[in-house]
Amino acid sequence: MTTAREIMTPGATCIGAEDSVLDAAKKMTDLGVGALPICGTDNKLKGMLTDRDIVVKVLGQGKDPAEVKAGELAQGEAVTIGADDDASEILRTMTEHKVRRLPVIDGHTLVGIVAQADVARALPDPEVGDLLQALSSD
């Protein structure tokens, strides 16, 4: 069975919880990504910050992205997947939590991100279809 380690995009870059949302947006632009893991000063994962979070929760509410800290947008406990977890666990976790990106953890270390697109490339069509349907319905 395919594991998260085999299909993830390795080398995920964090944004610090104390960094501004503006810094996060610049980092997303530089890296060409739509989401960044939020890491605390203790190097633990605090959540994920998406470009949509920036638009809806900061810009859409008239807040200054230079003043809002990335950590303020981390919600609850971060949903993650273990590096050696298999594809069925990835599908279950994405579906259950309705997330399109999962940080991949090896022990306590962030080692990559599994995105919906990674899953689509790696798994058979019926499984991908089920995931897309689950993530698209509210």
Side-chain angles (χ1 to χ4, degrees), residues 40-55:
T41 53
D42 57 1
N43 269 345
K44 290 191 177 177
L45 186 67
K46 302 299 181 192
M48 289 290 288
L49 176 64
T50 67
D51 47 8
R52 186 173 194 285
D53 291 332
I54 293 171
V55 170

Side-chain angles (χ1 to χ4, degrees), residues 30-118:
D30 292 346
L31 296 171
V33 299
L36 291 171
I38 302 169
C39 295
T41 53
D42 57 1
N43 269 345
K44 290 191 177 177
L45 186 67
K46 302 299 181 192
M48 289 290 288
L49 176 64
T50 67
D51 47 8
R52 186 173 194 285
D53 291 332
I54 293 171
V55 170
V56 172
K57 297 175 183 172
V58 179
L59 300 177
Q61 294 184 10
K63 297 178 182 175
D64 181 351
E67 298 296 321
V68 177
K69 303 293 183 211
E72 293 175 39
L73 300 180
Q75 297 177 344
E77 191 169 327
V79 178
T80 63
I81 194 83
D84 297 315
D85 287 348
D86 66 32
S88 64
E89 184 65 16
I90 296 168
L91 290 170
R92 186 196 67 72
T93 303
M94 283 184 160
T95 302
E96 179 181 324
H97 295 280
K98 291 198 174 274
V99 294
R100 291 177 164 82
R101 298 170 190 92
L102 282 174
V104 181
I105 305 295
D106 190 356
H108 293 289
T109 305
L110 178 68
V111 294
I113 302 281
V114 171
Q116 182 177 326
D118 299 321

